Amino acid sequence: GINAEYGVLSRCISLNAKALISISRNCRNLEFVDISWTNVSERGILKFTKKVPKLTSLVLDACTYVDNKVIQRISNLCTRLQLLSLRGSRTRQNVIDDNVLTSISNFIHLKHLELHFNNVNLESLIVLTKLQNLQIFNIANCSKISCNALMQFANHCSTLINLNLSDTNVTEEAVNTILHKNPFISTLKLNGCTGLTDGAIIELANSSHLTKLSLNRTKI
């Protein structure tokens, strides 16, 4: 209805631009929208986001037509966005390069960013340090991110409380830097991070705010 604030349309295979635009005209109070795993066109996504000015959470996981151009335009339209999810999958990965991350960094109010299972082609995540409110960050299964990139990012980010680095190339040194620069991290997922050694346990044990730690499939 017209007062709806929460809309989940994930995996609606028949959803098209016309239907999505119609929803936006009738539900202008939407704050959370999930259109993941759909084939809505670039035009449909942009016209939709333009019509829902209260939008704070947008889930675009594995959307066929989401690219840098779309993200850049959305950053200008959804100035209140606090959650952005661009998760990929084994069969449908987004290419997250420097241009895409630059566009993401324009969401200055963003608190929660999901980039899980994407083809991240870059050596530096430092552009995301512009997100001064970022608290929850998921880059699990982004195996092409180098440890050097993680170190650069960690050295310039101090707001994280929930971080998922599962199945990445993170090392003990990177973990130490992340925890040192982000002392209030309470949730840390390092599943499948085979580069970690027993030495990482010392730093993890000294993290006073850490309440949830996942180390499945590691060598520790």
Side-chain angles (χ1 to χ4, degrees):
I2 197 165
N3 292 316
E5 298 178 353
Y6 192 96
V8 178
L9 301 166
S10 176
R11 297 181 186 268
C12 292
I13 56 175
S14 61
L15 184 68
N16 57 30
K18 183 178 180 180
L20 193 61
I21 294 169
S22 177
I23 290 172
S24 69
R25 287 172 178 163
N26 292 289
C27 302
R28 296 180 65 92
N29 290 321
L30 284 169
E31 297 180 10
F32 179 102
V33 172
D34 180 354
I35 56 171
S36 55
W37 289 90
T38 63
N39 296 312
V40 179
S41 66
E42 172 187 325
R43 170 181 169 272
I45 294 172
L46 293 177
K47 281 189 171 292
F48 172 79
T49 52
K50 187 176 182 179
K51 295 287 186 179
V52 283
K54 295 183 179 180
L55 196 64
T56 59
S57 301
L58 182 59
V59 182
L60 299 171
D61 300 345
C63 283
T64 305
Y65 296 104
V66 171
D67 56 16
N68 180 52
K69 181 181 177 182
V70 171
I71 298 300
Q72 186 177 38
R73 293 284 300 279
I74 291 175
S75 71
N76 294 324
L77 295 170
C78 302
T79 57
R80 302 174 60 180
L81 211 64
Q82 295 182 25
L83 181 156
L84 176 63
S85 185
L86 298 172
R87 293 164 65 110
S89 71
R90 293 185 185 276
T91 58
R92 191 183 293 188
Q93 294 187 12
N94 303 308
V95 176
I96 307 293
D97 59 17
D98 287 321
N99 291 326
V100 177
L101 287 187
T102 298
S103 295
I104 292 174
S105 71
N106 292 326
F107 294 102
I108 59 173
H109 298 293
L110 206 64
K111 293 182 178 180
H112 185 165
L113 177 59
E114 296 274 341
L115 297 179
H116 177 270
F117 236 132
N118 278 300
N119 185 10
V120 183
N121 293 323
L122 74 166
E123 279 300 312
S124 177
L125 293 170
I126 198 168
V127 66
L128 292 182
T129 58
K130 288 176 61 180
L131 302 175
Q132 294 296 306
N133 298 300
L134 188 63
Q135 297 179 350
I136 304 172
F137 190 30
N138 182 357
I139 49 173
N141 289 98
C142 294
S143 58
K144 291 190 176 182
I145 294 179
S146 69
C147 191
N148 181 55
L150 288 171
M151 292 284 287
Q152 289 185 42
F153 174 76
N155 272 313
H156 295 84
C157 181
S158 60
T159 58
L160 296 175
I161 59 173
N162 186 321
L163 180 62
N164 190 345
L165 295 173
S166 298
D167 296 293
T168 62
N169 299 315
V170 67
T171 63
E172 178 183 333
E173 183 182 9
V175 169
N176 291 346
T177 300
I178 289 167
L179 291 175
H180 178 69
K181 295 291 184 177
N182 294 270
F184 297 104
I185 283 184
S186 60
T187 300
L188 181 61
K189 295 181 180 180
L190 300 168
N191 302 316
C193 294
T194 55
L196 297 179
T197 65
D198 290 346
I201 290 294
I202 298 174
E203 190 68 26
L204 292 168
N206 290 330
S207 181
S208 60
H209 288 85
L210 196 60
T211 58
K212 295 181 180 179
L213 175 63
S214 298
L215 292 168
N216 299 321
R217 297 180 287 108
T218 64
K219 296 178 180 178
I220 297 176

